[in-house]
Amino acid sequence: MPKPEVSASYQELSEDVERVSENPTEEREGEMEVNEDSSSVILPDGELGTTTPSLRFSKTCLKNVFSVILLFIYLLLMAVAVFLVYQTISDFREKLKHPVMSVTYKEVSLYDAPGIAFYPGKARLLSCKHHYYDHIPPLINPGQPGDIECTTQRINYTDPFTNQTMKYALIVQGPRDVKKRELVFLQFHLNETDQDFSAIDYLLFSSFQEFVSSPEKAKFMKDCESSYSSWKFSGGFRTWVKMSLVKTKEEDGSETVEFKQETSVVNYIDQRTKPRSDQLFFVVFEWKDPFIQTVQDIITANPWNTIALLCGIFLALFKAADFAKLSVKWMIKIRRRHLKRTRQVTNHIS
């Protein structure tokens, strides 16, 4: 009776083939799951040895520790990037509030002749001459009127601070040629004075030509006296004034001019035969050097550099956040695999 058994086995085989042909993917997935389960199952010590479970556990632990360390490193980098953004913005605002002073020097061979305004009072101008190369010839008949070879103008105007007192000013054209070391030497004489100390005031302004071409010279002098400082030189001495010009550029684009002075005083030895009660004043004006100093405030904060730095920092932040997100996902995936294997081992042992 073997024929019925053989036919029954052929029938079962054909049914299995049909089932496989109908659901090939399910069959493959089943095989893959079986293989994965069989590969992930930790077998007894007699089959795979005693070191396999400990090795797998140590690898998983190292991966988790390494992922946590990387995550903390990138969190630290993100904190540093945030601090850099704050510091960059703060530095930019500070540089905008506090511009840096820039000083430049321009060399010239000829200056625009400055104006020298003297307020002699009762004193009288005896002589005025231009000399070159710092050479002043010996005085001839000091105290007596001499040659006046300078360009001068006289003007009266009201005091800009009181608007009541009339002031008398003698305007003299200053030196121009700095290469030839041009100087202006002036001599004043004061016959008598009711003061204990005798001195003559003077004022420097930037351009004698502007004063000459000004239609309102009185107003021009009032503005100069309000803007510039005045100095004095005493009787009985030769006062040597060395001038330097400083231009300052304001934020609104305007430009102001200021004079700096270095003064040396030499005592005058009066060699006149008879003692005199009058006073002689000697003053010399000369340019100190051929350099015009220009001062302006410069904002060192460059917005383009700041924007480029901020873009780089934000890009680093996004990259760090992306890497941190991937690290967290990787840790979660490793944890799930570990739990799955643990369940499989538990099920296999049970």
Side-chain angles (χ1 to χ4, degrees):
M1 302 292 291
K3 292 182 179 180
E5 295 178 358
V6 172
S7 60
S9 62
Y10 278 122
Q11 186 176 359
E12 293 175 358
L13 181 60
S14 63
E15 291 176 356
D16 292 339
V17 170
E18 291 176 357
R19 186 172 65 254
V20 171
S21 62
E22 291 177 356
N23 300 315
T25 57
E26 294 179 359
E27 188 67 23
R28 291 174 184 172
E29 291 177 357
E31 291 177 358
M32 291 174 64
E33 290 178 358
V34 171
N35 293 333
E36 190 180 30
D37 294 340
S38 62
S39 62
S40 62
V41 172
I42 300 176
L43 299 178
D45 295 342
E47 297 179 3
L48 295 178
T50 57
T51 60
T52 303
S54 61
L55 286 175
R56 289 183 177 178
F57 178 76
S58 62
K59 288 181 180 180
T60 305
C61 182
L62 286 176
K63 288 181 179 179
N64 290 333
V65 171
F66 183 69
S67 299
V68 172
I69 292 174
L70 282 179
L71 182 60
F72 276 107
I73 289 174
Y74 277 92
L75 288 176
L76 179 62
L77 291 177
M78 290 177 66
V80 172
V82 171
F83 174 75
L84 287 177
V85 170
Y86 172 76
Q87 193 67 28
T88 302
I89 296 174
S90 299
D91 291 344
F92 183 77
R93 295 179 62 186
E94 285 296 322
K95 289 179 180 179
L96 286 179
K97 292 180 181 179
H98 304 286
V100 178
M101 181 179 293
S102 172
V103 180
T104 58
Y105 293 90
K106 180 183 178 181
E107 185 176 3
V108 295
S109 58
L110 289 175
Y111 279 94
D112 187 8
I116 308 172
F118 294 96
Y119 302 94
K122 296 181 180 180
R124 183 165 60 97
L125 178 64
L126 296 180
S127 63
C128 178
K129 292 183 179 182
H130 289 261
H131 301 285
Y132 295 90
Y133 301 105
D134 290 345
H135 175 68
I136 299 177
L139 295 175
I140 300 175
N141 297 324
Q144 299 297 323
D147 297 331
I148 298 178
E149 300 175 356
C150 305
T151 304
T152 62
Q153 287 199 14
R154 303 173 187 272
I155 186 173
N156 294 320
Y157 63 94
T158 57
D159 193 325
F161 300 103
T162 62
N163 288 327
Q164 295 177 355
T165 307
M166 290 295 295
K167 300 189 72 171
Y168 160 70
L170 172 66
I171 314 299
V172 179
Q173 182 178 359
R176 295 185 66 243
D177 197 338
V178 66
K179 291 296 184 181
K180 294 182 180 180
R181 304 178 72 175
E182 179 186 1
L183 57 87
V184 177
F185 177 61
L186 300 100
Q187 179 184 178
F188 290 87
H189 173 256
L190 180 61
N191 190 15
E192 57 182 8
T193 178
D194 55 355
Q195 298 179 354
D196 296 331
F197 302 95
S198 58
I200 295 177
D201 295 338
Y202 69 94
L203 174 73
L204 295 174
F205 55 91
S206 58
S207 176
F208 180 80
Q209 187 60 37
E210 288 184 6
F211 166 75
V212 172
S213 59
S214 175
E216 298 181 359
K217 293 180 174 58
K219 183 178 182 302
F220 182 88
M221 288 306 303
K222 290 175 66 174
D223 293 338
C224 287
E225 190 172 353
S226 301
S227 303
Y228 298 103
S229 301
S230 62
W231 292 271
K232 296 177 182 290
F233 60 95
S234 301
F237 297 93
R238 188 193 67 185
T239 304
W240 199 301
V241 179
K242 292 190 175 182
M243 306 173 292
S244 58
L245 194 62
V246 180
K247 295 182 178 181
T248 304
K249 292 184 178 180
E250 305 295 339
E251 295 182 357
D252 57 356
S254 61
E255 187 177 79
T256 59
V257 179
E258 178 185 2
F259 282 91
K260 290 186 177 180
Q261 301 184 39
E262 292 182 4
T263 305
S264 60
V265 178
V266 178
N267 185 30
Y268 168 66
I269 301 175
D270 195 348
Q271 297 180 352
R272 290 177 292 178
T273 56
K274 295 181 180 180
R276 302 280 183 174
S277 61
D278 57 355
Q279 287 285 335
L280 295 179
F281 300 81
F282 305 94
V283 64
V284 180
F285 291 91
E286 180 189 12
W287 288 108
K288 177 185 176 182
D289 50 47
F291 298 101
I292 297 177
Q293 181 179 345
T294 303
V295 180
Q296 60 180 343
D297 292 335
I298 296 178
I299 297 176
T300 57
N302 191 340
W304 296 110
N305 290 341
T306 305
I307 291 172
L309 182 59
L310 290 177
C311 289
I313 293 173
F314 282 122
L315 182 62
L317 280 173
F318 288 135
K319 289 293 183 181
D322 190 26
F323 185 85
K325 182 174 67 175
L326 294 176
S327 299
V328 171
K329 288 183 179 180
W330 185 45
M331 290 173 60
I332 294 174
K333 186 176 181 181
I334 291 176
R335 181 64 179 170
R336 287 178 179 175
R337 286 183 180 179
H338 178 68
L339 293 176
K340 184 177 180 181
R341 289 175 181 175
T342 304
R343 286 196 300 270
Q344 289 175 353
V345 171
T346 304
N347 294 334
H348 178 74
I349 293 174
S350 62

